[in-house]
Amino acid sequence: MTISSADGTCSLLQLAPLEAVLFDVDGTLCDTDPLHYDAFREMLQEIGFNGGVPIDEEYFIANIAGKHNEDIASILFPDNHERGVKFLEDKEAMFRRIVKDKIEPVKGLYKLKKWIEDRGLKRAAVTNAPKENAELMISLLGLSDFFEVVILGSDCEHAKPYPDPYLKALDILKVSKEHTCIFEDSVSGIKAGVAAGVKTFGLTTRNPAELLMKAKPSLLIKDYEDSKLWSVLDELDNKAKA
């Protein structure tokens, strides 16, 4: 079975036997981008950013979504990085306050979780989110015992879109990149997965498909109930049994 991708076709059956599944957190486990967007929009307007004109979703996707906070600070406050870092700390505190009542898993997440557990696959969360955010979201979703390890971009020499966080996950889990797959929802995250040499599935949770395709994912899916995903997983099961 071959699946069309941005750079021709790639056989996802080469993943068999699948050893591990790696997940981004924001937008991949849970649809939190709207919460981040609202927090940035409100707080940036309060300080008169962009002449007091609220940022729009296009600006958010292009400059903020999926990026590490160090990079966001440099983009928003190019002349005062220290101020940017402090702003991001305050923004993340605001996010943690509001996410507790509003977090929702991406559709089909627990179905995929069971599929992974039933096959005894290794798994890790790999995120550019701050540690407090990542641990809170994973806990609220009931996934603290599901993940064997959580890899933070801040713990690596380079965060996403560099491959370092995913390469670190492969090393810690002691699995091969050829038999591991990644789920991501941002251009930054997909680029990191592809650069690590790992088959990467892109979720169109919030970011438009045409934008994600520029990062060359192996497959784009709407969510974890997408029939395209389950066709691949069924084929992998069949190949593993053959």
Side-chain angles (χ1 to χ4, degrees), residues 14 68 97 220 232 238:
Q14 292 172 358
H68 191 262
R97 288 195 298 272
L220 279 186
V232 172
N238 291 336

Side-chain angles (χ1 to χ4, degrees), residues 40 146 164 175:
F40 273 108
F146 174 70
D164 303 35
V175 293

Side-chain angles (χ1 to χ4, degrees), residues 56-110:
D56 58 20
E57 196 161 3
E58 186 177 352
Y59 180 90
F60 174 78
I61 290 172
N63 296 283
I64 297 173
K67 290 182 170 62
H68 191 262
N69 276 359
E70 283 288 322
D71 298 323
I72 297 172
S74 296
I75 292 169
L76 298 180
F77 302 90
D79 301 322
N80 193 337
H81 187 73
E82 188 176 330
R83 183 188 182 198
V85 170
K86 177 64 170 66
F87 174 87
L88 267 296
E89 288 175 354
D90 293 342
K91 176 261 157 185
E92 298 302 358
M94 178 181 182
F95 170 79
R96 287 191 293 274
R97 288 195 298 272
I98 62 178
V99 75
K100 292 179 181 179
D101 300 321
K102 297 184 177 181
I103 195 167
E104 292 284 344
V106 170
K107 193 175 179 183
L109 175 64
Y110 298 124

